[in-house]
Amino acid sequence: WGERKRDMDFDALLEPLDLDNVQTLFANAPARPKEEREEEKAKATTLLDHRRAHIVGIMLANFRASIPAIKKAVIELNPAFLDISKVEALIGAAPTVEEVVLLTSWAGDPATLGQAERFLLEIAPIPRFKERMQALLLILSFDDRAAELQEMLEKVDSALRELTDSDTLKTVLLHLLALGNFLNAGTPLGDAPGFGPDSLTKFASTRANAEGVTVLS
């Protein structure tokens, strides 16, 4: 193949093609001048406060998708498009009642609005938008949360087994019971058959006549 490649006449192979048309079809689109982009941005009508519009704008930039595409994914609850981070961002961007009133009462051309305003105006009619996103977030994060909870439960179960199977702990508790009965002899609390977990804190707080000495020290 290397020998054949050197012998090929590529100009002859390209002769049947309309190269001018090929170049037109596949040429990169010329970049819009920065001044033109800034002028278009400056002409956009801003209804939201600057901070809110900035936050929504950053979220939309991270989506790398058109507003209609985002709206479609929201309506369809499309997990292939909406991952956990995007759903969390959408929940944070959910329009407030005041914003919906502000945007829907505006009588101008929606096309002249800023990007953040156009996005909120698009998703405002979606029924229970925030609740839909919260439900989708629960679905997307369920397996991870369930696994995390399972791991926590296994740790608690392991700790309980160690406590119930510990001969050392049983010996310590028996000594504390005997000491408590000795100290409470002659009172209604003496000769107790046992004590509850809340009594352990009392052992630590019961002080002797000597400074800094407690039952547990």
Side-chain angles (χ1 to χ4, degrees):
W1 166 253
E3 293 297 328
R4 294 180 60 188
K5 185 176 181 182
R6 283 194 292 269
D7 295 338
M8 283 184 179
D9 185 351
F10 285 101
D11 291 336
L13 293 174
L14 293 175
E15 280 183 4
L17 302 178
D18 184 351
L19 297 182
D20 290 336
N21 187 42
V22 171
Q23 186 174 4
T24 300
L25 289 173
F26 294 97
N28 291 328
R32 296 169 60 195
K34 181 179 179 182
E35 294 78 9
E36 182 181 333
R37 297 196 305 270
E38 291 180 349
E39 181 180 357
E40 181 179 310
K41 185 176 180 181
K43 288 181 180 178
T45 301
T46 303
L47 301 178
L48 304 173
D49 67 77
H50 176 74
R51 182 174 180 275
R52 172 66 163 159
H54 181 67
I55 292 174
V56 175
I58 291 176
M59 181 205 70
L60 292 173
N62 291 333
F63 267 77
R64 301 182 182 275
S66 66
I67 292 176
I70 298 174
K71 180 180 179 180
K72 183 174 183 291
V74 168
I75 293 175
E76 296 175 351
L77 295 178
N78 185 355
F81 182 88
L82 299 173
D83 57 25
I84 290 178
S85 62
K86 288 179 179 178
V87 173
E88 289 176 337
L90 285 170
I91 292 173
T96 64
V97 175
E98 293 77 10
E99 289 171 342
V100 171
V101 172
L102 174 66
L103 293 169
T104 55
S105 62
W106 189 69
D109 182 2
T112 63
L113 289 172
Q115 186 184 39
E117 284 80 2
R118 284 186 284 111
F119 171 73
L120 295 183
L121 191 60
E122 279 289 325
I123 65 172
I126 298 177
R128 299 179 297 279
F129 167 77
K130 190 172 185 179
E131 289 77 7
R132 290 170 70 90
M133 292 298 94
Q134 289 172 333
L136 181 57
L137 179 61
L138 178 61
I139 293 172
L140 295 175
S141 61
F142 180 84
D143 289 342
D144 289 339
R145 293 174 65 180
E148 182 180 353
L149 182 59
Q150 179 66 29
E151 182 180 356
M152 293 173 60
L153 290 174
E154 289 175 356
K155 289 180 179 179
V156 171
D157 181 69
S158 177
L160 290 174
R161 289 180 183 278
E162 289 187 17
L163 288 174
T164 54
D165 295 342
S166 173
D167 292 332
T168 301
L169 179 60
K170 293 176 183 177
T171 300
V172 170
L173 294 178
L174 285 173
H175 279 80
L176 288 175
L177 176 60
L179 182 58
N181 283 332
F182 173 77
L183 294 175
N184 291 318
T187 72
L189 298 177
D191 199 24
F195 59 87
D198 57 324
S199 298
L200 291 173
T201 58
K202 296 178 182 178
F203 285 114
S205 61
T206 302
R207 300 183 180 278
N209 294 328
E211 184 176 356
V213 177
T214 67
V215 172
L216 293 181
S217 62

